[in-house]
Amino acid sequence: MPLQVHQFPCLSDNYGFLARDEATGLAACIDTPEAGAILRELDKLGWTLAFILNTHWHPDHAGGNAEVKAATGATVIGPGEVTRLTPLDRQVAGGDLVELGATRFEVIETGGHTLQHITYFDQADRIAFVGDTLFALGCGRLFEGDAAQMWESLQKLASLPDDTTVYCAHEYTASNARFALSVDDDPALKRRADQVFAARERGEATVPTTIGLEKATNPFLRAPQLAARVGAAGKPDFEAFGAVRAAKDVFKG
């Protein structure tokens, strides 16, 4: 039976995700950006929360752990870095498995935004919760890792099946699209950007996305093809990626 995902807005631009294993009725929240919103959605849905699955330690991802755990008794699972902010009941790293009823999440190391950032991948349902590693038309800032680490992480995600549904944690797509258009003139990107701008004008979410769509249009995954546009012609792929990331960091569009 498939995994059911419920997405809802949190804070100013985060998304909250509740995932329910339909075989058993057990649910998990992926990160805890806003405890009150998570608890309201759980109550509205009538779901039983078994796990809190943290992707990394930042406060807009793990800051609601204590309140959600106190209200639900959920087990808190995440990478070791989360203990900088809040206790864990179970520490996981790349290669581990997390079983939510009949649903099996593979833990993938996707450091770069933070050093121990992880992704939860449900292979059976082709669903990935990627935190702040990959965004629709974007990727996370390199707050702790370097370009080589982040490029390796993005390649792990790019190797997932193209039809994998990608739940990223922020609604950044319109600003990401404006930057993408500044470094890439591919027609597929232009078509997608127009769709994104129209969707946001209607107040619609642009998350989730898919691996295939990101491989086709995301400038961070297309960095080797854009190397000359960002002054990295002839450089290794991770350096081309680093140049695209550096250009985004100073982009004012």
Side-chain angles (χ1 to χ4, degrees):
M1 298 179 73
L3 186 73
Q4 182 180 356
V5 180
H6 175 64
Q7 174 178 319
F8 51 98
C10 291
L11 303 175
S12 62
D13 54 32
N14 282 70
Y15 285 117
F17 303 111
L18 293 169
R20 181 178 181 270
D21 173 59
E22 294 195 350
T24 61
L26 296 177
C29 63
I30 292 76
D31 290 324
T32 56
E34 187 178 355
I38 292 166
L39 295 173
R40 285 193 298 273
E41 295 299 316
L42 281 169
D43 184 62
K44 186 188 307 180
L45 295 166
W47 289 2
T48 300
L49 194 70
F51 296 150
I52 294 167
L53 303 179
N54 289 138
T55 60
H56 62 295
W57 73 270
H58 284 166
D60 64 327
H61 291 261
N65 282 8
E67 186 175 346
V68 174
K69 179 180 173 63
T72 65
T75 298
V76 183
I77 300 172
E81 66 178 28
V82 171
T83 59
R84 294 161 63 176
L85 190 70
T86 180
L88 287 170
D89 296 313
R90 178 185 169 194
Q91 182 174 326
V92 293
D96 288 337
L97 289 175
V98 176
E99 296 185 349
L100 176 71
T103 300
R104 291 162 59 91
F105 288 108
E106 175 189 348
V107 178
I108 304 172
E109 289 185 14
T110 50
H113 180 66
T114 63
L115 290 179
Q116 295 181 318
H117 193 299
I118 59 174
T119 287
Y120 295 92
F121 176 51
D122 169 14
Q123 184 173 19
D125 298 299
R126 298 282 210 271
I127 290 172
F129 295 100
V130 300
D132 284 359
T133 297
L134 179 67
F135 295 128
L137 289 174
C139 76
R141 284 182 177 266
L142 305 183
F143 285 124
E144 296 178 8
D146 58 19
Q149 183 186 26
M150 186 64 132
W151 178 248
E152 180 181 359
S153 295
L154 291 173
Q155 293 312 292
K156 291 177 186 177
L157 296 179
S159 73
L160 299 179
D162 282 357
D163 62 350
T164 299
T165 300
V166 176
Y167 289 96
C168 44
H170 291 272
E171 182 58 70
Y172 288 162
T173 319
S175 61
N176 287 341
R178 287 190 288 272
F179 168 73
L181 291 169
S182 76
V183 295
D184 192 353
D185 54 11
D186 186 83
L189 170 63
K190 179 62 167 63
R191 289 193 295 272
R192 184 180 179 193
D194 288 343
Q195 294 168 357
V196 165
F197 298 144
R200 293 307 295 152
E201 290 224 352
R202 296 190 297 267
E204 297 172 0
T206 62
V207 174
T209 179
T210 67
I211 290 294
L213 185 57
E214 295 313 309
K215 285 163 65 175
T217 55
N218 188 315
F220 297 97
L221 294 181
R222 286 173 43 78
Q225 297 98 299
L226 304 176
R229 298 283 296 267
V230 291
K235 298 289 183 66
D237 289 352
F238 79 88
E239 291 190 22
F241 161 75
V244 176
R245 182 64 257 181
K248 176 65 164 65
D249 290 344
V250 298
F251 182 68
K252 301 298 185 184

